[in-house]
Every structure is written in structure tokens, then in C-alpha cells.
Amino acid sequence: MRGAYKVPYASRGSILGATEAAALGQLLASGESLSMGSWRERFERRFSEYAGTRYALSVTSGTVALELAVHLLDLAPGDEVVVTPQTFQATVQPLLDRQVRVRFCDIDRESLNMDPASLKSLITDRTRAILLVHYGGWPAEMDEIVTMARERGILVVEDCAHALGARYDGRRPGSLGDIGCFSFHASKNITTLGEGGMLTFDRDDWAERIDRLRSNEVDGVFVAGDTSPLDAPELLPWMKYSSSVYRDACLGVRRSGTNATLSEAACVVGLHQLDRLEDLVDRRRAIAARLNAVVDRHPHARADRPRPGVHHAQHLYTCFVSGPPGTREALVRGLDARGVEVQLRYFPLHLLPEWRSRGHGPGECPVAEELWFTEHVNLPCHPGLSDEQVDHLAEALDAALEDARTVIENAESRTTVPSIKETSHAAH
């Protein structure tokens, strides 16, 4: 389609307004530090309360959160990690830097989340971790997955980038496995000025390691002891380091540190965004309900609906259309022609060239491949849409589904009308 879309896909997944602007103005006028200050502490404390975990440690992006989470797994060469193919590449990309065997687990047809039945068949004695996503904001079936993991001492990392505002039988994503990783990118359900991330977990040792790493300190194994050389220079009171720099000995380095400090400006905005989260997600759910009502009128289409007890955060709106080749394309082209932007999320990761180079390829996850290439559709669903845009979206979806039905009916007519030869034979 040429020109601007009447209903564009979200460039912003949240709404920033006067509240956030006023908070930023107060911070700038206060003269307080703009890094590693009180707002970060408040944001992290509030987020840990929200997620239901002992710790919530902020970092500069969801990608960094995932990289540090994989680091905490302490994977060794030859270990195996089971991952989902239906996610953004950042979920599993850190594993490319490690000499581990990655096993892609096929997905559930309804939720597009990791399928517990497929997962069971992939777990071996060498499996050390499971990396999954709560696709689109629909929590994965964590009870089954975590039970399998606990029986075998396997760690579970949740990519919660889509899941802010979701609930799973009364609990929040980020507290369901061992480590939760959140993103506050501009497109997500809340944002910290475009970029930001958070790790959630309960372990004290992980909190110490992440805090060191994000603050440009080494993640190492240190022991206390009197190891000071006799000629060590004196440390005066105003110097940065304490006497522990001479007293402690480093037995090994797991990883060098980095600067992953989320700024005070980002944290003050994040705190106010978190207070608005439920209203933002309610708007997403209202839009999704409107679209579901349209989809339900068409027998060749279906919407995703979680079971009772599972509450969708609707970061993505996903529906499916089935039929002969060309059906999904007719739907997408019909939407585009009517001013609705469609972006399919996400290309099956095991088919990317970097993963094909490690032995993965077509046929490995047949459900993920079938749905993405023939049925899967994502539609705009974000709180920035006006009521008029939602009306247009619903009308365009209804009309485009009719376009798809025409493709199906034409295909059926070609297969049911007898050929001249068949008619002639029947006459004899």
C-alpha cells in the first residue's frame, strides 16, 4: 500500500503523557544524580512486588537481560538447552556464543508457546536449561514445564517481553520459572523511554552477580584472605577502592563486567508506566475482544483464547485463517488494501542461516512452520489506537476475511465440478 496506513502497526506500545513529562521535569530540576540513584531503587522494588519475586534488577534492554540470564546458567561445553522457535531472535541468540547443543521445541497450535508434550521428548540427561517465551502475552503452560524441569534439575528462563499484564493461575510471569527477563522497548506494554529491561528471580547469589556485572565489575570467584603484598601502596580514605582489593583473591573470572545501568530518567518513567499498566492492558484486551468477535463470524478463521485462569496481556493480537494455498495471502492483501498494516511475528528461528549452519532446518518444528507460513496473522492492537481506528480495523478485518473466503470457495468449486471426461463417462 502506498502512503500512510489508516491503522498502522505500533511504533509505540504504550502511551507517554503529562504524568511522565512532569516526573521527568522534577527529576531534572532536582539536581539529583541521573545514574544509579533513588529512582532505580524505587522502580526495582516496585517491580519485584508486582512480579512476586525477591529481586528485580534493571538493565539497559531486554536483550541484555536475556544475555545476563544465559550467563547465570553457567553452561558448559556439551550441555543441552531446549528453546522455542517462535520468538524474537534475542531470546536464543546468546546461545550462539556457547558450545552447547540447542534443541528447538515445537509449539502448541493454539497459544504458539512451547508445547509441553514436544518438550518432554527433547529432554535428555544433558539438558541444563529451557528458554521459552510467553508468546504475544499468553503465558506458556508453566506448571507442566516447570514440573518436568524440577524433576531433572533443569533451570527455566522466561522471556517475558510480551507478558507484562498477564497472569497465570493468579501468578505473574517472571515468577513462574527460575529467571524472568522483561523488555521496556518502545513497542512493549510499558516503556522506559524506548529501551530498558529487567531480570526477576529469588536467588541471593544471582542478585550479587548481576549487580556486579551491570556495574562494570567482574563476575568472579573471590575469597577473603590476607594476600596483600608487603609493598602495596596505602589506600587513603577518599580513594575509590577499599582494602578488600588487597585482601581478596580471585580464583577465577566467569565474565567481565559491563555498563548496563538503566538511567534515572528511564526509571522514573518506568515507575509511572507500571502504575498505568493495568489500564493500558485493559485497552489492549478491549481491542482484542472486538477483533475476536469479527473472527468468530468466519468459520475459516480462529482467534487465540487462553483457558480459564490464564489472562492474556495482548502484546500481540494473533489470529489464524485456514484454507487452500493463497488464503492467508488474500487476507493480508485485503487488509493492506484497506489501510491496515500487518507484520508477521516471528519467523521460525531454526530456519535462520545462523541456526541452519549449526544443523537445524525445515521439518524440525512442523507446527511452527505450518502455522507461520500458511495461517498466522498479527494485527495492530495497542492502546494508542483511537476508537475510530478500531472501528476501521474491525470493518477491514471482516471484509478481508470475506476475501479469503472467496479463495476457499473458488478452490472448492474447482475440486467439486466434474471434468468433461467424468461427465461423459457417467452418461454412458
Side-chain angles (χ1 to χ4, degrees):
M1 175 184 175
R2 294 181 179 179
Y5 285 95
K6 187 169 184 178
V7 186
Y9 217 83
S11 60
R12 291 187 182 183
S14 183
I15 297 173
L16 296 166
T19 301
E20 290 84 358
L24 279 172
Q26 291 172 6
L27 171 65
L28 295 177
S30 70
E32 296 176 10
S33 171
L34 296 178
S35 179
M36 298 177 66
S38 63
W39 285 105
R40 186 177 76 165
E41 295 174 3
R42 292 170 63 181
F43 183 37
E44 291 176 348
R45 183 168 59 251
R46 174 80 171 81
F47 201 93
S48 69
E49 292 169 355
Y50 174 84
T53 56
R54 289 185 63 194
Y55 295 101
L57 296 178
S58 62
V59 290
T60 46
S61 71
T63 297
V64 170
L66 287 159
E67 290 172 356
L68 295 179
V70 169
H71 172 70
L72 290 179
L73 300 176
D74 292 329
L75 298 171
D79 287 345
E80 295 183 2
V81 182
V82 183
V83 305
T84 176
Q86 186 60 59
T87 183
F88 183 54
Q89 60 201 41
T91 307
V92 301
Q93 197 160 241
L95 297 172
L96 288 168
D97 296 327
R98 288 163 173 80
Q99 295 177 353
V100 297
R101 181 182 182 188
V102 173
R103 312 192 77 183
F104 283 95
C105 177
D106 212 350
I107 60 173
D108 173 74
R109 283 186 173 275
E110 302 297 322
S111 67
L112 305 187
N113 286 318
M114 182 177 283
D115 176 30
S118 298
L119 171 63
K120 186 175 182 179
S121 68
L122 295 176
I123 291 176
T124 73
D125 291 340
R126 298 200 63 85
T127 306
R128 297 292 176 264
I130 297 167
L131 270 63
L132 56 83
V133 71
H134 302 299
Y135 178 83
W138 179 338
E141 280 301 332
M142 294 299 291
D143 284 345
E144 289 183 66
I145 292 170
V146 171
T147 296
M148 277 188 273
R150 294 285 181 268
E151 290 173 350
R152 298 163 177 83
I154 298 169
L155 296 172
V156 179
V157 177
E158 305 171 66
D159 183 342
C160 305
H162 299 175
L164 265 175
R167 292 192 300 279
Y168 178 85
D169 294 334
R171 295 167 287 159
R172 301 283 187 188
S175 68
L176 306 173
D178 295 287
I179 307 174
C181 299
F182 293 83
S183 171
F184 308 131
H185 182 267
S187 65
K188 298 303 187 287
N189 287 14
I190 68 170
T191 185
T192 51
L193 295 178
E195 295 288 355
M198 190 80 75
L199 293 104
T200 56
F201 46 74
D202 292 329
R203 283 177 50 169
D204 297 341
D205 60 327
W206 284 350
E208 181 180 355
R209 291 174 65 182
I210 293 299
D211 194 41
R212 289 181 64 87
L213 280 169
R214 69 175 179 172
S215 305
N216 251 327
E217 297 184 42
V218 168
D219 178 18
V221 180
F222 297 91
V223 294
D226 186 11
T227 59
S228 303
L230 294 177
D231 59 349
E234 181 182 3
L235 287 171
L236 299 175
W238 55 84
M239 293 180 174
K240 176 177 173 60
Y241 293 98
S242 70
S243 59
S244 65
V245 298
Y246 299 138
R247 185 185 68 245
D248 291 351
C250 180
L251 302 184
V253 174
R254 300 186 188 97
R255 177 184 156 158
S256 62
T258 187
N259 181 4
T261 303
L262 193 61
S263 73
E264 288 295 277
C267 290
V268 71
V269 168
L271 189 60
H272 287 284
Q273 285 271 288
L274 192 57
D275 287 339
R276 300 176 61 188
L277 174 61
E278 292 305 317
D279 288 340
L280 294 168
V281 172
D282 282 347
R283 175 61 175 170
R284 288 175 173 273
R285 289 180 178 137
I287 296 169
R290 180 78 182 277
L291 298 178
N292 285 347
V294 174
V295 172
D296 288 345
R297 294 200 290 268
H298 297 269
H300 56 286
R302 65 179 175 89
D304 59 354
R305 282 191 175 85
R307 65 168 173 78
V310 176
H311 297 266
H312 205 310
Q314 293 298 164
H315 172 65
L316 299 177
Y317 179 83
T318 305
C319 61
F320 306 87
V321 60
S322 58
T327 303
R328 196 264 304 271
E329 282 61 34
L331 172 59
V332 172
R333 292 181 186 279
L335 288 164
D336 190 84
R338 294 173 175 88
V340 175
E341 184 177 12
V342 175
Q343 295 181 7
L344 299 185
R345 310 250 173 123
Y346 297 92
F347 188 83
L349 293 184
H350 64 291
L351 302 181
L352 292 176
E354 57 266 34
W355 291 107
R356 295 202 312 270
S357 73
R358 294 180 64 157
H360 302 280
E364 188 171 354
C365 297
V367 175
E369 295 167 32
E370 175 193 350
L371 293 180
W372 199 86
F373 284 104
T374 64
E375 298 185 14
H376 182 152
V377 179
N378 296 122
L379 299 177
C381 183
H382 55 92
L385 292 176
S386 66
D387 289 344
E388 292 76 15
Q389 286 176 309
V390 175
D391 288 342
H392 182 82
L393 174 58
E395 293 166 4
L397 177 60
D398 197 31
L401 283 168
E402 282 297 315
D403 295 343
R405 184 174 65 85
T406 300
V407 172
I408 296 171
E409 291 176 347
N410 288 340
E412 289 175 345
S413 66
R414 287 194 297 270
T415 58
T416 56
V417 174
S419 66
I420 295 176
K421 182 177 180 180
E422 290 171 333
T423 305
S424 175
H425 179 73
H428 289 292

